[in-house]
Amino acid sequence: MIKIGILGAAGYTGGELIRLLLNHPAAEIVFANSESNAGNPVTDVHEGLCGDTDMRFTAEMPFGAVDVVFFCFGHGKSEAFLKEHAVPAGVKIIDLAQDFRLAAPGNDFVYGLPEINRRRIASAGRVANPGCFATCIQLALLPAAKMGLLTDDVAVNAITGSTGAGQKPGATTHFSWRTDNMSIYKAFCHQHVPEIRQSLEQVQGSLNASIDFIPYRGNFARGIFATAVVRTDAPIDDIVAAYKDFYAAEPFTHYTDKAIDMKQVVNTNKCLVHCDKYGDKLLVTSTIDNLLKGAVGQAVQNMNIMFGLDEASGLRLKASAF
């Protein structure tokens, strides 16, 4: 059994991670850390786990008793934590924040997108889990990058559910504001763009084009739906064949010939991708669950790879039929 510690266990990602790991055949949660909830039952915060666990939050962090630690902190807190605390060298780390996603001198975290970094993840001691928007958009564009098609600016639009903003209440997550409403935020300057560019450059070799990304807040709880427009003269049949080949062996990312919708992936670790061609414009649509393939589902997928397990272990989750 893989012995696991969770830091920041009281947030949305912490709760989803606990839910997945309680049903993972090779996982044992040793501790779920939350200083503000220490001593309280996990189900006091994550009420959907009622009947599934009698675990309590703890302020303790017994790193010597675990094989891997998941960092479910807010952005910026992982780097600060590692400066203040010593995690034993033999304990693997999977960080869900953005602190270590970009390659830099002294950064020994591997970027955890299995579709392009599986071999590196398998031998990694530390993995930086990709962002939710970044995952959805990269999976839409990586086959096009492999074909060398990203030579002109790419227009990307994507809408996300309110859980993408985290559990702490805010003006734009309040029900009365969010329901029956839409808005944009961080247009052209979203923090996930650099990691998207990093992966596209890795696959294409270089990337001179701009990724013009406009994010939207949606009036639903979970899920991301993205569209990307690429200018290319490549025939649609060649593009579709390349997309199918790129994802042929992937357990969770699938190309489909039919137009996709978000409900097909919510509550699963899947990403669905579809292409259409309009003149010289290639339209790629992709969709994921932001809390699963966009966060803890992918984190568990990375854990499985790091420990040599079946990559899909504990992650065969089914979408609603309607």
Side-chain angles (χ1 to χ4, degrees):
M1 298 291 282
I2 303 171
K3 298 187 181 299
I4 296 162
I6 303 171
L7 301 180
Y12 284 144
T13 55
E16 281 289 279
L17 182 59
I18 292 169
R19 180 174 72 89
L20 292 182
L21 294 176
L22 286 174
N23 294 287
H24 193 295
E28 177 187 345
I29 303 173
V30 174
F31 69 87
N33 173 270
S34 171
E35 292 188 5
S36 61
N37 291 280
N40 297 331
V42 164
T43 52
D44 278 4
V45 175
H46 305 305
E47 296 178 353
L49 297 177
C50 184
D52 295 328
T53 181
D54 58 3
M55 188 187 318
R56 290 179 178 269
F57 292 111
T58 178
E60 303 300 316
M61 298 178 289
F63 294 128
V66 301
D67 302 306
V68 60
V69 178
F70 289 86
F71 287 8
C72 296
F73 297 134
H75 300 311
K77 294 184 178 180
S78 298
E79 185 175 14
F81 180 89
L82 288 176
K83 289 179 179 177
E84 298 172 2
H85 301 82
V87 178
V91 177
K92 298 181 186 294
I93 296 173
I94 301 175
D95 180 27
L96 277 79
Q98 68 182 32
D99 301 29
F100 300 104
R101 291 173 185 163
L102 299 182
N107 179 7
D108 62 351
F109 280 74
V110 171
Y111 188 67
L113 192 69
E115 288 78 2
I116 58 171
N117 285 336
R118 185 169 281 106
R119 290 183 181 178
R120 294 181 63 209
I121 294 166
S123 60
R126 297 181 171 190
V127 166
N129 214 58
C132 52
F133 271 135
T135 296
C136 193
I137 295 166
Q138 288 173 92
L139 294 176
L141 292 174
L142 285 169
K146 186 176 181 182
M147 294 180 74
L149 301 184
L150 306 184
T151 57
D152 201 350
D153 294 350
V154 180
V156 178
N157 293 271
I159 186 169
T160 186
S162 57
T163 53
Q167 193 173 39
K168 186 177 180 180
T172 60
T173 59
H174 195 284
F175 175 80
S176 60
W177 186 92
R178 194 100 180 196
T179 192
D180 299 324
N181 199 10
M182 275 186 65
S183 63
I184 65 170
Y185 69 107
K186 297 182 180 178
F188 305 110
C189 60
H190 194 277
Q191 66 270 18
H192 288 181
V193 172
E195 61 182 284
I196 295 168
R197 292 191 62 87
Q198 178 176 259
S199 294
L200 296 178
E201 288 173 355
Q202 175 184 330
V203 172
Q204 185 164 280
S206 63
L207 182 66
N208 297 320
S210 174
I211 305 298
D212 295 330
F213 174 36
I214 301 178
Y216 293 77
R217 300 181 182 95
N219 63 346
F220 48 89
R222 57 195 300 163
I224 291 177
F225 192 90
T227 63
V229 178
V230 177
R231 288 191 175 274
T232 176
D233 292 325
I236 186 61
D237 289 347
D238 292 352
I239 294 170
V240 169
Y243 269 74
K244 288 182 176 180
D245 180 68
F246 196 94
Y247 292 127
E250 292 300 328
F252 295 112
T253 303
H254 309 290
Y255 182 86
T256 173
D257 289 321
K258 295 182 178 180
I260 60 176
D261 60 77
M262 197 174 66
K263 189 177 283 191
Q264 292 173 275
V265 300
V266 169
N267 293 318
T268 80
N269 197 52
K270 292 189 293 186
C271 175
L272 295 183
V273 182
H274 175 73
C275 293
D276 290 296
K277 192 84 184 299
Y278 302 89
D280 67 345
K281 291 183 283 292
L282 169 66
L283 173 63
V284 187
T285 51
S286 61
T287 187
I288 64 170
D289 185 309
N290 60 295
L291 290 177
L292 291 170
K293 184 57 173 172
V296 298
Q298 187 156 235
V300 171
Q301 185 179 355
N302 282 323
M303 180 192 77
N304 289 339
I305 297 170
M306 294 168 80
F307 286 91
L309 302 179
D310 177 352
E311 193 167 327
S313 186
L315 290 171
R316 288 302 186 192
L317 310 168
K318 304 300 182 184
S320 172
F322 50 84

